[in-house]
Structure formats: C-alpha cells, structure tokens
Amino acid sequence: ARSGKSHATHPLAAGGVTAYASDLVNSSLVSFDATSPSTFTLDIPQDSNSYLAGDFKGEDFSTLYAIDFLSFDLYKVDTTTGARTLVYLAVPPPGAQTGSWNGMAWDRKTSTMYAVTLGGRPTGSSLVKINPDTGDTEYVAEITGVGDPSNGTAIIDIAVDAAGRMYGVEIVTDTLVAIDKETGAAPTIGSLGCDANYSEGLDFDDTTGTLYFSGYDNSVGLSTMYTIDTETGLATPIDTIGPDPSSTQFAALGIARLAGICAYPDNVPWLSFDTTRGSTQPDATTPITVTFDATTRSTGTYTADICVNNTALSNPRLAVPVTLTVD
C-alpha cells in the first residue's frame, strides 16, 4: 500500500501501459496499451510521418519529440491532436554516422536526451546527445563491440532505464546490447530469438522496469509487441500489433508511465496527516504529524510508503517507508 495521490494524466497509465508510436507504413500517430497492442486507443493520420527516432522528455507525456528520418527535422508532436511543431534541423555532429536517425531515449538520471545515428552498411552506429528544445547535437562515441564485420553495426533503437542504464537492439545480429553512455562500448547481452527487421521501437515502462520492444519479425511478416529480458536478451511476444500486423511498422516508441513505487499511489486507510501540501526552503524543515490508526486493524504487521512529491527533477517523488505493528 502507498499513501498520497497519483497525478497520472493518461487514462491507461495506472491500470495499463500507455504507449505512443509512429506507424510508418500507415503514416499515423497511434496510442495503445502495450500489454494489449492489437487495439489502438488513438490513431491520428499524419500528412508526413517518417519518425524513426522519438521519445518523451522527462514526465511530460503530452509531447513526443521525434526526428523525421527523411528531412532530419526535429519536431514536438502533440500526443492528443497529432499536431507537430518544428524545433529545428537536427544535424548529426562531426564524427557521427550521417545516414539516418534511428532511435532516441531520455535518461532521467542525468536529464539527457540521447539519440543514435546509422550510416550506410557496412558502416556503423553512433551515439549522440541531442537537445530536444534546440536540436543541437553532440557526438559521444561510435557504438562498438557488436554487429557483423561484413554487414556493420545497426542499432535500430535505444532505451534507458530509471537507473540510467542504456540498452539497444542491434538488427544485424538480432541481439540486445548494453551501451556505455560515455565510450559507446556495447557488449552483447543475448539473442532476441526473433528476426527483427525494418522499423522497430524500444522503451522502458519506468513504473515496473519492463523493457518493451515493438518489432517486425521478418520470418513471419508480422509486427509484434514483446518484452525483453535485460539479463538474457530474450524477447517474449505479447501479441501482434494493430488490426493489420502484416501492414504495420512502429518506430519512435514512447511509454507514458511514471517511475518509482510512488508513481501511482493508493490511499492507506490507517494513515493520516495534519497537512498534505506546503513548501520548504533549502536547508530548512517542515514538521508533519503522521497518525497511525489501529482501531480497525487486526493483529499483524502493516507496511506502507508515505509518498512525498517535490520539485526535484531527478527524484520528484520520495518514498518514506513506515510500519504499523498491531499486537
């Protein structure tokens, strides 16, 4: 049990796994529950939709940042209306591969947006930092240690978990890799177990730490939603994607879920507080009285987390564990 109140802004966020993606084949922005991907909850046609790389910035799920792989234009895409606003031309920095932008991932640990570029085979993939508000780019490193010498390295998308660990899917060898955010070294974790090809999407559900993969399995010709085991690399299918999975290819996958055990708290009936909001200056304290009510509790031990929301960008919700013992 957790105390406090959720501030989820999406109808599926608490009970499902709200996700957004660019459907490249059908030129549309779609939303769906990643645990039940065959039905779309939102399907907005786009005049031009060629987003291979995209993700949310922080916990603002109203705007998907995405790069058009044909023009290299960086857009802010409204997830309610599909309207897009041009940020600027995102030019790959000197040293990076320049063929296409293949993936983007927000690192909440450092408040950094990363992206990956792909050159023409048999070249490789580069890791880049990108400012989502200006389009400015900074070269980090070439992604190394994965791929095939004759076909190069093709990182189709990247994702960063709540702890700041970066992963990528490499579609020459069909493997999950761990990517060092400073050196680009990418040791192989393991085989996906499917023949991933064409457009793909990768993102974490930060609430549970689950890695989701919207992949096109070339061996059967169907787009399928998977979860990927970050310890073994194995992709486990959930279901096919959309009403026509043979004519659907997702990219720019963004999971709209908050991070941490206080992301979607429930009220705890045996806890109450003398105040539930206020402000505290730096290096100061504000006492709050917490009341434990055992009148309706049977004998036993009860645990909960008191959730404290705050303005710290790197840790906006602090969990304070408490225990009630009734003899």
Side-chain angles (χ1 to χ4, degrees), residues 12-77:
L12 285 175
V17 179
T18 306
Y20 293 84
S22 166
D23 184 348
L24 293 171
V25 174
N26 299 292
S27 295
S28 61
L29 173 72
V30 301
S31 179
F32 55 97
D33 181 351
T35 65
S36 182
S38 61
T39 302
F40 296 155
T41 56
L42 183 73
D43 190 351
I44 303 175
Q46 304 274 278
D47 293 336
S48 175
N49 186 349
S50 304
Y51 310 132
L52 280 182
D55 201 2
F56 293 109
K57 173 187 172 183
E59 296 184 344
D60 178 9
F61 303 136
S62 67
T63 302
L64 181 71
Y65 290 82
I67 303 176
D68 187 305
F69 85 93
L70 296 175
S71 66
F72 284 12
D73 284 333
L74 172 65
Y75 289 97
K76 294 192 294 185
V77 185

Short mmCIF file of all heavy atoms in Angstrom, two decimals, residues 12-77:
data_model
loop_
_atom_site.label_atom_id
_atom_site.label_comp_id
_atom_site.label_asym_id
_atom_site.label_seq_id
_atom_site.Cartn_x
_atom_site.Cartn_y
_atom_site.Cartn_z
N LEU A 12 -4.90 5.24 -19.28
CA LEU A 12 -4.40 3.87 -19.11
C LEU A 12 -3.22 3.79 -18.15
O LEU A 12 -2.78 2.72 -17.81
CB LEU A 12 -3.96 3.31 -20.46
CG LEU A 12 -5.05 2.90 -21.46
CD1 LEU A 12 -4.43 2.48 -22.77
CD2 LEU A 12 -5.90 1.78 -20.90
N ALA A 13 -2.72 4.94 -17.73
CA ALA A 13 -1.43 4.95 -17.05
C ALA A 13 -1.38 4.08 -15.80
O ALA A 13 -0.39 3.41 -15.55
CB ALA A 13 -1.03 6.38 -16.70
N ALA A 14 -2.43 4.10 -14.98
CA ALA A 14 -2.39 3.34 -13.74
C ALA A 14 -2.69 1.86 -13.95
O ALA A 14 -2.05 1.00 -13.38
CB ALA A 14 -3.38 3.94 -12.75
N GLY A 15 -3.65 1.54 -14.83
CA GLY A 15 -4.07 0.16 -14.99
C GLY A 15 -3.47 -0.55 -16.17
O GLY A 15 -3.47 -1.78 -16.23
N GLY A 16 -2.96 0.19 -17.14
CA GLY A 16 -2.33 -0.40 -18.31
C GLY A 16 -0.99 0.26 -18.54
O GLY A 16 -0.48 0.98 -17.69
N VAL A 17 -0.40 0.00 -19.69
CA VAL A 17 0.90 0.57 -20.04
C VAL A 17 0.70 1.44 -21.27
O VAL A 17 0.76 0.97 -22.41
CB VAL A 17 1.95 -0.52 -20.28
CG1 VAL A 17 3.30 0.10 -20.65
CG2 VAL A 17 2.12 -1.39 -19.04
N THR A 18 0.40 2.72 -21.04
CA THR A 18 0.12 3.62 -22.13
C THR A 18 1.37 3.85 -22.98
O THR A 18 2.43 4.17 -22.44
CB THR A 18 -0.37 4.99 -21.59
OG1 THR A 18 -1.48 4.77 -20.73
CG2 THR A 18 -0.77 5.90 -22.73
N ALA A 19 1.22 3.69 -24.27
CA ALA A 19 2.35 3.84 -25.19
C ALA A 19 1.93 4.62 -26.42
O ALA A 19 0.75 4.61 -26.81
CB ALA A 19 2.90 2.48 -25.59
N TYR A 20 2.90 5.30 -27.02
CA TYR A 20 2.70 6.02 -28.27
C TYR A 20 3.76 5.57 -29.25
O TYR A 20 4.86 5.16 -28.86
CB TYR A 20 2.79 7.53 -28.07
CG TYR A 20 1.67 8.10 -27.24
CD1 TYR A 20 1.72 8.08 -25.85
CD2 TYR A 20 0.54 8.65 -27.84
CE1 TYR A 20 0.70 8.60 -25.07
CE2 TYR A 20 -0.50 9.17 -27.08
CZ TYR A 20 -0.41 9.14 -25.70
OH TYR A 20 -1.44 9.64 -24.95
N ALA A 21 3.44 5.67 -30.54
CA ALA A 21 4.42 5.28 -31.56
C ALA A 21 4.06 5.91 -32.89
O ALA A 21 2.92 6.34 -33.12
CB ALA A 21 4.48 3.76 -31.70
N SER A 22 5.03 5.94 -33.76
CA SER A 22 4.84 6.35 -35.14
C SER A 22 4.64 5.10 -35.99
O SER A 22 5.51 4.22 -36.02
CB SER A 22 6.06 7.13 -35.61
OG SER A 22 6.06 7.28 -37.01
N ASP A 23 3.49 5.01 -36.65
CA ASP A 23 3.23 3.91 -37.58
C ASP A 23 3.69 4.38 -38.96
O ASP A 23 3.01 5.15 -39.63
CB ASP A 23 1.75 3.56 -37.60
CG ASP A 23 1.44 2.36 -38.49
OD1 ASP A 23 2.32 1.94 -39.27
OD2 ASP A 23 0.31 1.85 -38.42
N LEU A 24 4.86 3.93 -39.38
CA LEU A 24 5.46 4.43 -40.61
C LEU A 24 4.71 3.98 -41.85
O LEU A 24 4.61 4.73 -42.83
CB LEU A 24 6.93 3.97 -40.69
CG LEU A 24 7.87 4.57 -39.66
CD1 LEU A 24 9.21 3.88 -39.70
CD2 LEU A 24 8.04 6.06 -39.89
N VAL A 25 4.19 2.77 -41.84
CA VAL A 25 3.51 2.25 -43.02
C VAL A 25 2.23 3.02 -43.29
O VAL A 25 1.89 3.36 -44.44
CB VAL A 25 3.21 0.75 -42.87
CG1 VAL A 25 2.38 0.24 -44.05
CG2 VAL A 25 4.51 -0.05 -42.76
N ASN A 26 1.49 3.33 -42.23
CA ASN A 26 0.18 3.98 -42.38
C ASN A 26 0.21 5.48 -42.09
O ASN A 26 -0.85 6.12 -42.05
CB ASN A 26 -0.83 3.29 -41.45
CG ASN A 26 -1.00 1.82 -41.79
OD1 ASN A 26 -1.54 1.49 -42.84
ND2 ASN A 26 -0.53 0.94 -40.93
N SER A 27 1.40 6.04 -41.90
CA SER A 27 1.58 7.48 -41.68
C SER A 27 0.62 8.00 -40.61
O SER A 27 -0.23 8.86 -40.88
CB SER A 27 1.38 8.25 -42.98
OG SER A 27 2.38 7.92 -43.91
N SER A 28 0.75 7.48 -39.40
CA SER A 28 -0.13 7.92 -38.33
C SER A 28 0.58 7.88 -36.99
O SER A 28 1.58 7.16 -36.81
CB SER A 28 -1.39 7.05 -38.27
OG SER A 28 -1.05 5.69 -38.01
N LEU A 29 0.07 8.69 -36.06
CA LEU A 29 0.50 8.64 -34.67
C LEU A 29 -0.53 7.81 -33.92
O LEU A 29 -1.73 8.08 -34.00
CB LEU A 29 0.56 10.04 -34.07
CG LEU A 29 0.83 10.12 -32.57
CD1 LEU A 29 2.28 9.76 -32.27
CD2 LEU A 29 0.51 11.52 -32.03
N VAL A 30 -0.08 6.79 -33.21
CA VAL A 30 -1.00 5.89 -32.54
C VAL A 30 -0.70 5.82 -31.05
O VAL A 30 0.43 6.06 -30.62
CB VAL A 30 -0.97 4.47 -33.14
CG1 VAL A 30 -1.34 4.50 -34.61
CG2 VAL A 30 0.39 3.84 -32.96
N SER A 31 -1.73 5.48 -30.28
CA SER A 31 -1.57 5.19 -28.86
C SER A 31 -2.28 3.88 -28.57
O SER A 31 -3.27 3.53 -29.22
CB SER A 31 -2.17 6.32 -28.01
OG SER A 31 -2.04 6.02 -26.63
N PHE A 32 -1.78 3.16 -27.56
CA PHE A 32 -2.30 1.82 -27.27
C PHE A 32 -1.78 1.38 -25.91
O PHE A 32 -0.89 2.01 -25.34
CB PHE A 32 -1.87 0.83 -28.35
CG PHE A 32 -0.38 0.78 -28.55
CD1 PHE A 32 0.40 -0.18 -27.94
CD2 PHE A 32 0.25 1.73 -29.34
CE1 PHE A 32 1.77 -0.21 -28.10
CE2 PHE A 32 1.63 1.72 -29.51
CZ PHE A 32 2.39 0.75 -28.89
N ASP A 33 -2.37 0.33 -25.40
CA ASP A 33 -1.87 -0.32 -24.19
C ASP A 33 -0.84 -1.35 -24.64
O ASP A 33 -1.17 -2.28 -25.37
CB ASP A 33 -3.03 -0.98 -23.45
CG ASP A 33 -2.61 -1.66 -22.16
OD1 ASP A 33 -1.40 -1.78 -21.90
OD2 ASP A 33 -3.50 -2.09 -21.41
N ALA A 34 0.41 -1.18 -24.19
CA ALA A 34 1.48 -2.08 -24.63
C ALA A 34 1.24 -3.52 -24.22
O ALA A 34 1.79 -4.44 -24.82
CB ALA A 34 2.82 -1.61 -24.09
N THR A 35 0.39 -3.75 -23.21
CA THR A 35 0.08 -5.12 -22.80
C THR A 35 -1.05 -5.70 -23.64
O THR A 35 -1.36 -6.89 -23.52
CB THR A 35 -0.31 -5.18 -21.31
OG1 THR A 35 -1.53 -4.46 -21.10
CG2 THR A 35 0.78 -4.57 -20.45
N SER A 36 -1.69 -4.88 -24.47
CA SER A 36 -2.77 -5.32 -25.35
C SER A 36 -2.70 -4.52 -26.65
O SER A 36 -3.56 -3.69 -26.94
CB SER A 36 -4.13 -5.13 -24.67
OG SER A 36 -5.18 -5.60 -25.47
N PRO A 37 -1.65 -4.74 -27.46
CA PRO A 37 -1.33 -3.85 -28.57
C PRO A 37 -2.15 -4.03 -29.83
O PRO A 37 -1.95 -3.28 -30.80
CB PRO A 37 0.14 -4.18 -28.85
CG PRO A 37 0.25 -5.64 -28.49
CD PRO A 37 -0.65 -5.82 -27.30
N SER A 38 -3.06 -4.97 -29.86
CA SER A 38 -3.82 -5.20 -31.10
C SER A 38 -4.89 -4.14 -31.32
O SER A 38 -5.42 -4.01 -32.43
CB SER A 38 -4.46 -6.59 -31.07
OG SER A 38 -5.36 -6.72 -29.99
N THR A 39 -5.23 -3.36 -30.27
CA THR A 39 -6.26 -2.34 -30.38
C THR A 39 -5.65 -0.97 -30.09
O THR A 39 -4.99 -0.79 -29.07
CB THR A 39 -7.40 -2.59 -29.38
OG1 THR A 39 -7.97 -3.88 -29.63
CG2 THR A 39 -8.48 -1.54 -29.51
N PHE A 40 -5.88 -0.02 -30.99
CA PHE A 40 -5.39 1.33 -30.78
C PHE A 40 -6.43 2.15 -30.02
O PHE A 40 -7.63 2.07 -30.31
CB PHE A 40 -5.10 2.02 -32.12
CG PHE A 40 -4.00 1.37 -32.92
CD1 PHE A 40 -3.95 1.51 -34.30
CD2 PHE A 40 -3.00 0.63 -32.30
CE1 PHE A 40 -2.95 0.92 -35.04
CE2 PHE A 40 -1.99 0.03 -33.04
CZ PHE A 40 -1.96 0.18 -34.41
N THR A 41 -5.96 2.95 -29.06
CA THR A 41 -6.85 3.88 -28.37
C THR A 41 -6.84 5.25 -29.03
O THR A 41 -7.70 6.09 -28.76
CB THR A 41 -6.45 4.02 -26.89
OG1 THR A 41 -5.07 4.43 -26.82
CG2 THR A 41 -6.60 2.69 -26.17
N LEU A 42 -5.86 5.47 -29.90
CA LEU A 42 -5.73 6.72 -30.64
C LEU A 42 -5.04 6.40 -31.95
O LEU A 42 -4.07 5.66 -31.99
CB LEU A 42 -4.90 7.73 -29.84
CG LEU A 42 -4.72 9.13 -30.43
CD1 LEU A 42 -6.03 9.92 -30.29
CD2 LEU A 42 -3.59 9.87 -29.71
N ASP A 43 -5.57 6.94 -33.05
CA ASP A 43 -4.97 6.71 -34.36
C ASP A 43 -5.19 7.98 -35.19
O ASP A 43 -6.26 8.21 -35.73
CB ASP A 43 -5.62 5.50 -35.04
CG ASP A 43 -4.87 5.07 -36.30
OD1 ASP A 43 -3.98 5.81 -36.74
OD2 ASP A 43 -5.20 4.00 -36.84
N ILE A 44 -4.16 8.83 -35.26
CA ILE A 44 -4.27 10.13 -35.90
C ILE A 44 -3.45 10.14 -37.19
O ILE A 44 -2.22 10.04 -37.13
CB ILE A 44 -3.79 11.25 -34.97
CG1 ILE A 44 -4.56 11.24 -33.65
CG2 ILE A 44 -3.95 12.61 -35.65
CD1 ILE A 44 -4.05 12.25 -32.65
N PRO A 45 -4.09 10.27 -38.34
CA PRO A 45 -3.33 10.36 -39.60
C PRO A 45 -2.42 11.57 -39.60
O PRO A 45 -2.75 12.63 -39.06
CB PRO A 45 -4.43 10.49 -40.66
CG PRO A 45 -5.67 9.96 -40.01
CD PRO A 45 -5.55 10.31 -38.56
N GLN A 46 -1.24 11.40 -40.18
CA GLN A 46 -0.27 12.48 -40.31
C GLN A 46 0.01 12.72 -41.80
O GLN A 46 0.12 11.77 -42.57
CB GLN A 46 1.04 12.12 -39.61
CG GLN A 46 0.88 11.77 -38.13
CD GLN A 46 0.91 12.99 -37.26
OE1 GLN A 46 1.97 13.50 -36.91
NE2 GLN A 46 -0.27 13.46 -36.87
N ASP A 47 0.10 14.00 -42.19
CA ASP A 47 0.41 14.32 -43.58
C ASP A 47 1.76 13.74 -43.98
O ASP A 47 1.95 13.25 -45.09
CB ASP A 47 0.41 15.83 -43.81
CG ASP A 47 -0.98 16.43 -43.66
OD1 ASP A 47 -1.95 15.68 -43.84
OD2 ASP A 47 -1.08 17.63 -43.35
N SER A 48 2.69 13.81 -43.06
CA SER A 48 4.01 13.24 -43.29
C SER A 48 4.48 12.66 -41.98
O SER A 48 4.58 13.37 -40.98
CB SER A 48 4.99 14.31 -43.78
OG SER A 48 6.30 13.77 -43.88
N ASN A 49 4.72 11.38 -41.96
CA ASN A 49 5.11 10.72 -40.72
C ASN A 49 6.24 9.75 -41.01
O ASN A 49 6.01 8.63 -41.45
CB ASN A 49 3.92 10.00 -40.09
CG ASN A 49 4.25 9.43 -38.73
OD1 ASN A 49 5.40 9.39 -38.32
ND2 ASN A 49 3.23 8.98 -38.02
N SER A 50 7.45 10.20 -40.81
CA SER A 50 8.62 9.37 -41.06
C SER A 50 9.54 9.38 -39.85
O SER A 50 10.75 9.50 -39.97
CB SER A 50 9.38 9.88 -42.30
OG SER A 50 8.56 9.93 -43.43
N TYR A 51 8.95 9.27 -38.66
CA TYR A 51 9.73 9.33 -37.43
C TYR A 51 10.31 7.96 -37.11
O TYR A 51 9.59 7.04 -36.73
CB TYR A 51 8.87 9.79 -36.25
CG TYR A 51 8.05 11.03 -36.48
CD1 TYR A 51 6.70 11.06 -36.13
CD2 TYR A 51 8.61 12.17 -37.05
CE1 TYR A 51 5.94 12.19 -36.33
CE2 TYR A 51 7.85 13.31 -37.25
CZ TYR A 51 6.52 13.32 -36.89
OH TYR A 51 5.75 14.44 -37.08
N LEU A 52 11.63 7.83 -37.23
CA LEU A 52 12.29 6.61 -36.77
C LEU A 52 12.76 6.75 -35.33
O LEU A 52 12.85 5.77 -34.61
CB LEU A 52 13.50 6.28 -37.66
CG LEU A 52 13.22 5.61 -39.01
CD1 LEU A 52 14.54 5.32 -39.72
CD2 LEU A 52 12.44 4.33 -38.83
N ALA A 53 13.07 7.99 -34.92
CA ALA A 53 13.62 8.24 -33.60
C ALA A 53 12.67 9.14 -32.82
O ALA A 53 12.22 10.17 -33.32
CB ALA A 53 14.99 8.92 -33.71
N GLY A 54 12.36 8.75 -31.57
CA GLY A 54 11.49 9.60 -30.76
C GLY A 54 11.38 9.10 -29.34
O GLY A 54 11.58 7.92 -29.06
N ASP A 55 11.06 10.03 -28.42
CA ASP A 55 10.81 9.67 -27.03
C ASP A 55 10.23 10.89 -26.32
O ASP A 55 10.21 12.00 -26.84
CB ASP A 55 12.10 9.23 -26.32
CG ASP A 55 11.84 8.39 -25.09
OD1 ASP A 55 10.66 8.12 -24.78
OD2 ASP A 55 12.81 8.00 -24.41
N PHE A 56 9.76 10.66 -25.09
CA PHE A 56 9.28 11.75 -24.24
C PHE A 56 10.45 12.35 -23.48
O PHE A 56 11.45 11.68 -23.19
CB PHE A 56 8.24 11.24 -23.25
CG PHE A 56 6.96 10.79 -23.89
CD1 PHE A 56 6.62 9.44 -23.95
CD2 PHE A 56 6.10 11.71 -24.45
CE1 PHE A 56 5.44 9.02 -24.54
CE2 PHE A 56 4.92 11.31 -25.06
CZ PHE A 56 4.59 9.96 -25.10
N LYS A 57 10.32 13.62 -23.13
CA LYS A 57 11.30 14.31 -22.30
C LYS A 57 10.76 14.37 -20.88
O LYS A 57 9.70 14.94 -20.62
CB LYS A 57 11.55 15.73 -22.83
CG LYS A 57 12.42 16.59 -21.94
CD LYS A 57 12.47 18.01 -22.47
CE LYS A 57 13.18 18.94 -21.49
NZ LYS A 57 13.17 20.36 -21.95
N GLY A 58 11.48 13.76 -19.96
CA GLY A 58 11.04 13.74 -18.58
C GLY A 58 9.69 13.06 -18.42
O GLY A 58 9.45 12.01 -19.01
N GLU A 59 8.80 13.67 -17.66
CA GLU A 59 7.50 13.09 -17.40
C GLU A 59 6.38 13.87 -18.08
O GLU A 59 5.22 13.79 -17.68
CB GLU A 59 7.27 13.00 -15.89
CG GLU A 59 8.27 12.05 -15.21
CD GLU A 59 8.01 11.87 -13.73
OE1 GLU A 59 7.27 12.68 -13.15
OE2 GLU A 59 8.55 10.90 -13.15
N ASP A 60 6.73 14.62 -19.09
CA ASP A 60 5.72 15.32 -19.89
C ASP A 60 5.30 14.42 -21.04
O ASP A 60 5.98 14.33 -22.06
CB ASP A 60 6.29 16.64 -20.42
CG ASP A 60 5.29 17.38 -21.29
OD1 ASP A 60 4.11 16.97 -21.34
OD2 ASP A 60 5.68 18.39 -21.92
N PHE A 61 4.17 13.75 -20.86
CA PHE A 61 3.71 12.79 -21.87
C PHE A 61 2.76 13.44 -22.88
O PHE A 61 2.15 12.74 -23.68
CB PHE A 61 3.03 11.61 -21.19
CG PHE A 61 3.93 10.90 -20.20
CD1 PHE A 61 3.45 10.51 -18.96
CD2 PHE A 61 5.25 10.63 -20.52
CE1 PHE A 61 4.28 9.88 -18.04
CE2 PHE A 61 6.08 9.99 -19.61
CZ PHE A 61 5.59 9.61 -18.38
N SER A 62 2.65 14.75 -22.82
CA SER A 62 1.80 15.45 -23.80
C SER A 62 2.55 15.74 -25.09
O SER A 62 1.92 16.07 -26.10
CB SER A 62 1.29 16.77 -23.21
OG SER A 62 2.36 17.69 -23.00
N THR A 63 3.87 15.60 -25.07
CA THR A 63 4.69 15.94 -26.24
C THR A 63 5.69 14.84 -26.52
O THR A 63 6.53 14.51 -25.66
CB THR A 63 5.43 17.26 -26.02
OG1 THR A 63 4.50 18.31 -25.75
CG2 THR A 63 6.25 17.63 -27.25
N LEU A 64 5.62 14.27 -27.72
CA LEU A 64 6.60 13.29 -28.17
C LEU A 64 7.61 14.02 -29.05
O LEU A 64 7.24 14.66 -30.03
CB LEU A 64 5.92 12.17 -28.96
CG LEU A 64 6.82 11.05 -29.49
CD1 LEU A 64 7.30 10.17 -28.34
CD2 LEU A 64 6.08 10.19 -30.51
N TYR A 65 8.88 13.94 -28.68
CA TYR A 65 9.94 14.52 -29.51
C TYR A 65 10.36 13.47 -30.54
O TYR A 65 10.66 12.33 -30.19
CB TYR A 65 11.13 14.93 -28.66
CG TYR A 65 10.85 16.12 -27.77
CD1 TYR A 65 10.19 15.96 -26.55
CD2 TYR A 65 11.21 17.40 -28.16
CE1 TYR A 65 9.91 17.06 -25.74
CE2 TYR A 65 10.94 18.50 -27.36
CZ TYR A 65 10.29 18.32 -26.14
OH TYR A 65 10.02 19.40 -25.35
N ALA A 66 10.38 13.86 -31.81
CA ALA A 66 10.66 12.89 -32.87
C ALA A 66 11.40 13.55 -34.02
O ALA A 66 11.19 14.73 -34.33
CB ALA A 66 9.36 12.26 -33.37
N ILE A 67 12.27 12.76 -34.67
CA ILE A 67 13.05 13.25 -35.80
C ILE A 67 12.57 12.55 -37.07
O ILE A 67 12.50 11.32 -37.13
CB ILE A 67 14.55 12.98 -35.62
CG1 ILE A 67 15.06 13.63 -34.33
CG2 ILE A 67 15.34 13.51 -36.81
CD1 ILE A 67 16.51 13.32 -34.02
N ASP A 68 12.26 13.34 -38.09
CA ASP A 68 11.90 12.82 -39.40
C ASP A 68 13.18 12.32 -40.07
O ASP A 68 14.13 13.08 -40.26
CB ASP A 68 11.25 13.92 -40.23
CG ASP A 68 10.69 13.42 -41.55
OD1 ASP A 68 11.47 12.81 -42.32
OD2 ASP A 68 9.50 13.64 -41.81
N PHE A 69 13.21 11.03 -40.41
CA PHE A 69 14.45 10.47 -40.94
C PHE A 69 14.73 10.91 -42.37
O PHE A 69 15.86 10.78 -42.86
CB PHE A 69 14.44 8.94 -40.83
CG PHE A 69 13.76 8.21 -41.94
CD1 PHE A 69 14.48 7.76 -43.04
CD2 PHE A 69 12.41 7.95 -41.89
CE1 PHE A 69 13.85 7.06 -44.06
CE2 PHE A 69 11.77 7.26 -42.91
CZ PHE A 69 12.50 6.82 -44.01
N LEU A 70 13.73 11.46 -43.06
CA LEU A 70 13.95 11.94 -44.43
C LEU A 70 14.54 13.35 -44.44
O LEU A 70 15.48 13.64 -45.19
CB LEU A 70 12.63 11.92 -45.21
CG LEU A 70 12.00 10.56 -45.44
CD1 LEU A 70 10.64 10.70 -46.11
CD2 LEU A 70 12.93 9.68 -46.29
N SER A 71 14.01 14.24 -43.58
CA SER A 71 14.45 15.63 -43.58
C SER A 71 15.43 15.97 -42.46
O SER A 71 16.07 17.04 -42.51
CB SER A 71 13.23 16.55 -43.46
OG SER A 71 12.61 16.39 -42.18
N PHE A 72 15.53 15.10 -41.42
CA PHE A 72 16.33 15.35 -40.22
C PHE A 72 15.73 16.49 -39.38
O PHE A 72 16.40 17.02 -38.50
CB PHE A 72 17.79 15.66 -40.54
CG PHE A 72 18.59 14.44 -40.92
CD1 PHE A 72 17.99 13.22 -41.18
CD2 PHE A 72 19.97 14.51 -41.01
CE1 PHE A 72 18.74 12.11 -41.53
CE2 PHE A 72 20.73 13.41 -41.36
CZ PHE A 72 20.11 12.20 -41.62
N ASP A 73 14.49 16.85 -39.63
CA ASP A 73 13.82 17.86 -38.82
C ASP A 73 13.37 17.25 -37.49
O ASP A 73 12.81 16.16 -37.46
CB ASP A 73 12.60 18.43 -39.54
CG ASP A 73 12.96 19.40 -40.66
OD1 ASP A 73 14.03 20.02 -40.56
OD2 ASP A 73 12.18 19.52 -41.62
N LEU A 74 13.64 17.99 -36.40
CA LEU A 74 13.19 17.58 -35.08
C LEU A 74 11.87 18.27 -34.78
O LEU A 74 11.75 19.49 -34.90
CB LEU A 74 14.23 17.97 -34.03
CG LEU A 74 13.84 17.79 -32.55
CD1 LEU A 74 13.61 16.33 -32.21
CD2 LEU A 74 14.92 18.39 -31.64
N TYR A 75 10.86 17.48 -34.39
CA TYR A 75 9.53 18.01 -34.12
C TYR A 75 9.10 17.71 -32.69
O TYR A 75 9.53 16.73 -32.07
CB TYR A 75 8.49 17.37 -35.05
CG TYR A 75 8.59 17.80 -36.49
CD1 TYR A 75 9.27 17.01 -37.42
CD2 TYR A 75 8.00 18.97 -36.93
CE1 TYR A 75 9.37 17.40 -38.75
CE2 TYR A 75 8.09 19.37 -38.26
CZ TYR A 75 8.77 18.57 -39.16
OH TYR A 75 8.87 18.96 -40.47
N LYS A 76 8.21 18.57 -32.18
CA LYS A 76 7.44 18.28 -30.98
C LYS A 76 6.04 17.90 -31.46
O LYS A 76 5.37 18.68 -32.13
CB LYS A 76 7.38 19.51 -30.06
CG LYS A 76 8.71 19.91 -29.48
CD LYS A 76 8.57 20.93 -28.36
CE LYS A 76 8.06 22.26 -28.87
NZ LYS A 76 8.04 23.28 -27.77
N VAL A 77 5.61 16.69 -31.10
CA VAL A 77 4.34 16.16 -31.59
C VAL A 77 3.35 16.09 -30.43
O VAL A 77 3.61 15.43 -29.42
CB VAL A 77 4.52 14.76 -32.22
CG1 VAL A 77 3.20 14.28 -32.82
CG2 VAL A 77 5.61 14.79 -33.29
#
